[in-house]
Amino acid sequence: MTALLEARNLKKHFKLAAKWPFSTPPKLHAVDGVDLVINAGEAVGLVGESGCGKSTLSRLVSRLLDPTEGQLLLEGEDIGRLSTARFARSEQRRLIQMVFQDPTESLNPLFSAFDLIADPARMLLPRAGKAELRRRVEAAAQAVNLPLALLERLPHQLSGGQKARVGIARAIVVEPRLLVLDEPTSALDVSVQATVLQLLDQLRRERGIALLFVSHDLNVVRLLCSQIVVMYLGQVVERGPSTEIYANPAHPYTRALLSAIPTLRPGKLERIKLEGDPLSPISPSSTQCRFCGRCPIERAQCRTSMPALRELAPGRQVRCHFAEEALTGLPAAV
Amino acid sequence: MTGIVLRLLSAIPTLFGVVLVTFLITRVLPGDPAVFFASNPSMTTQDIEAVRQSLGLDKPLPEQFLIYLGGLLHGDLGNSLSTGQKVVTEFANRLPASAELTFLAFFIAIGVSLPLGIAAALRPGSLIDHLSRVIATLGVSMPTFVTGLLLIFFFYFVLGVAPEPIGRLDPFMFEPDRVTGLYTIDALIAGDLELFAAALKQMILPAVTMALFALAPLTRMARASMLEVLGSEFIRTARASGLSRRKIIMTYAFRNALLPIVTTMGMTFSYMLGANVLVERVFSWPGVGAFAVDSIINLDYAPLQGFMLVMAGIFIVVNLTTDVVVALIDPRASR
Amino acid sequence: MSASAMRERIQVVRHVVLGNPLNIVAFGLFLLILLVAILAPSLVPHDPLKTNPAHTLQGPSAEFWFGTDQLGRDIFARVMIATRLDLMIAFGAVTLSCLVGSIIGAMIGYWGGFWDGAVSRMVDVLMAFPLFVLALAMVAALGNTVANVVYATAVVNLPFYIRLARNEMRVRRGLGYVEAARVGGSGDWRILTRFLIPNMAAPLVIQASVNLGWAVLNAAGLSFLGLGVRAPTPEWGIMVAEGARFISSGQWWVAVFPGLALLIAVFVFNLMGDALRDILDPRMRT
Amino acid sequence: MTNPLLAVKDLTVDFITRHGTVHVLDDVSFDIGDGEIVGIIGESGSGKSVTAYSIMGILDHAARIRSGEILFQGRDVLGMNRSELDRWRGKAASIIFQNPRTALNPIRSVGDQIADVLARHTPARASEIRAKTIDALKQVRIPDPERRSKAYPFELSGGLCQRIGIAIALACAPRLLIADEPTTGLDVTTQAVIMDLIRNLAREQKTSVALITHDVALASEYCDRLIIMHAGHVVEVAPTAEIIDHPRHPYTAQLLRSVPSLVDSIGELQAIRGSLPDLRRADLPFCRFAERCDRRLPICDAERLHLGPALERHAVACRNPL
């Protein structure tokens, strides 16, 4: 079976301004060789701390950025080669849509909710007539529980939750196969977040839309996603089914992340404190594990060789020399 | 430190651009400089051609530019056709007059606008706040040459308290021995208080005219930046830590508010360099601005060229100074 | 604009206009100045150019409201007639620099790269001259005509619009709604024209309205020095220059009335700018 | 609790805005005991931060305190004059803010900022202040404190900036620390470190903490008691475990069901119906949750219910509690 979307060794390096005239500009390795598989109708959670490259990866996948290197296959066809401008006019643009983090900033303040939702449909479904357009916009609004009476309003006349709905309606109006969500609930109150999460899950179940859900909140990801990808400094450090990763995190970073989540649930992990700051993503060393300096189980080997992302169990991968040790050596979660 | 060095380096291409623009503008001046001599009926076509050659005007433009650049590097700004003097000499004589006036005006403007703007920001909505706003709006609306004339009318003609607006000194007084070229300072050096008072008296009206013009942007910026800083989160932290009002206003708020104010000061100073031209004209002040206007009317391009270069040069130096001052206040800017 | 947006905009306008009585005065005076500019030729009691050796340098009277000048011309007529020319120069210059500047600024801000660097450098050079000095030199170089005053004023102002438009573009280019438009299949051109430029309009209009007063001052300053407008033409700057000679001898009206006209016009434009800022600034609309 | 450290009584605060008067706080009462860690929980618009700012006297110009008392060790903070207040805050009570970077003066070294507070509240020579500054940095476990004391906020990570914020707040060993969303915007791993630091230091210094947060899970992990706020009202106050296990106010119950970390599957997640009432309304209902509530009774609209000075162990402002 071909995956809906597959990334192979995807890289994005940003050239920074050179400090002195004529010196070589340093490069920021935002995404540094990421492999990713999203199957049709599947929800994949992408987690990691701020600056780990998850936002850049989500923009590569939604083709807002051109990858520096690597392949991006949509149903087996490489769409990474097309420039963003060319891709914007291609047939496939419709299939990958995105929902943004800040519901205020991502809505054109001069467009009414109707125009906001209709805009992608106008561009990507050019054959749809006026009546057809209205029907689609209203259907999308209904699908996200946005009262039709609100369609006339401007963004600043809507509440945060309503704006978030407009953002989702706009993404689903062209019937995409994959929805990329960049922290869509981080600006919302918990009570609103709950409805948005349920809405997304419903869209996935009922319409078979695959989700790439980017978040720093592992609890949210746990509820929504069946697969989890954990990133650290531009690389995938662990991935696999979410139930397994929650039950038994293999990478020390994943363990730290899980243990840090405040929870009332019994049997939580013993807190692993991560002191210090992450290494710099600017021109990082290729012969050192990127978790060096913060890792609780760091050894000499970690500072001389970069661990590869390897298969730990079927469907379960980890990037750590000592993952097995971590699995057995520490108490299990939940 | 590297930040400051880089900033200094970045001024070099700008300086080059300034020289190029100055050269190009003055080369397209409608009056062929040689025509100036043609007004003298005893001159023949050959004579004019000879003048053209001696000025290098027969050569292609790029070559002229190189010659011009070469002259500049030797501190040669050419000769004034109308006075026959070297432009450099003319400027050396007139620049102190302009500088003295501009600095006095600048200090008056700062002395009034900063306390006013800060007081307004500390009590928004108060009488002083409204006053500062009226001054700011009125100040940007006042054409300097009209303000100057009104001041002359009231203080010279009606009240008779100001001296006649005819330059730097009463014609019956002797100028002080030249040390700095600034009459007030030179008079003080010479120990002649009467002369100092006379020089200052002549300067007050033009300086106030210019200061009024500079007051508006400075007051506006002082008020706005102080208001913004006072509303920022670290002021809230300082208040919540119980720091004294004095400490909060002086050490926390004012120093931060100073950053945009210093930038505005630099810009205002450069605006004043432009306004100089008008004020000197109104008060018959023998400065570089008045000289430049005369040169334009006489189609005398070398002084105009020199004037533009000197003004832009001062402007660049002022901007660099502002940047250095900002870097000294703000650790973020120097790294 | 949708109906509800329209309604809201009207509400904001009403709020701003009624909220500050000064704003009503500003709008009223602005309309008055416009009317004078349009209707002046048919309003004035005397021919502004007609000299009359019998009535030189007379003070304000019932016949000559603002008095007469050294050639016996009616100053009131000249001040009124001058409105049109001064306004035209200012509007012309501001429109020109706003249009050209914001287009250049928007383009380099959106695409960045080489042209951004090159144009920004040129802007730095232009801004290294004191504005008035540069305008002065340009009029001297291009020739002593009204059109050249307009061009010089426009060029001198260009850097501000380029910078403003470029920086606005830089900020907005990375905003979520631009990314959203791209995901929604919009190309560069559509993003520029439908999303970015309409959203940049407010700061540019504010800048232009504030700039208007400055442009009037700049043009009047040039003609005060004898550049641009030539002698018999009624123009505020030149009239102040002519009257300056008589100030020291007490014939104040020759210079003061055109000077006041200039001051009031600029003051009204500046008040207008503040009012427009209130109306257009989105932060006011929460 | 016979003698609470802090007692807020019937605090009512309005904000005057150009769009009308907003009734931000209405009759807010609660208290905080010695050495206690209390969580003040609410969604945006609940008034939790306004409560904190009222206590510290840092409300902005638009705010009007209509009525109420804030008693600190029996003394009314609202009645203090300027200099009394300045001697009190920073020394007896202090606060840390949500955005650690902007809460610090960007152009003053972090050491100087700590020293400013020390110099203000403790009479000491410059050299002593210096030593105490370094101690304060050590206390919040900043590596290499001598060098870091000369650093500026922009040179430090968000986590380190928040430690500086804590060092400033705890420099004079206050009796009360208000932590206003101290870890919102920080990474979850940093959040854990910062929260542990706050808890441990508070325990060491016997400082009471008011943790203001929207994160129920976070509060429940660190706090002894929880105060739940909704639309400017305190709706429920009780020990943490009791509230989590047996919420009595319908709002609390619904809030808990919308928290992802408290449920096992997405199906269990429930959203709260409706939205906050517009706090500018003149006809605000007595119970500001009434219009969203499925347990509403006629009496809810007929009569006002005061939570009163909430001294009961488990207080709930509801006519028909669960």
Side-chain angles (χ1 to χ4, degrees), chain B residues 122 124 232-245 247-248 251-253 255-256 259 329-333 335, chain D residues 53 56-59 82 86 89-90 93 95 97 99 102-108 112-113 116-117 120-121 152 154-155 168:
Chain B
L122 288 177
S232 65
E233 293 181 22
F234 65 86
I235 292 294
R236 197 177 58 189
T237 308
R239 284 174 63 203
S241 310
L243 297 190
S244 67
R245 191 174 156 80
K247 179 103 184 168
I248 291 176
T251 314
Y252 279 70
R255 253 174 62 113
N256 277 280
L259 293 168
I329 302 174
D330 186 353
R332 289 165 297 184
R335 264 160 252 217
Chain D
Y53 292 3
M56 296 305 296
I58 49 173
L59 288 171
R82 222 199 140 82
D86 278 345
R89 51 187 180 187
I95 181 167
F97 295 101
N99 193 336
T102 52
L104 297 175
N105 186 342
I107 62 170
R108 194 161 175 78
D112 284 349
Q113 295 188 51
D116 285 339
V117 181
R120 170 74 174 163
H121 297 294
Y152 293 92
F154 76 100
E155 297 169 309
I168 290 175

Side-chain angles (χ1 to χ4, degrees), chain D residues 6-24:
Chain D
L6 179 85
V8 174
K9 287 186 182 165
D10 305 330
L11 186 65
T12 300
V13 177
D14 289 346
F15 274 68
I16 314 290
T17 72
R18 53 200 291 161
H19 302 287
T21 300
V22 190
H23 306 287
V24 182

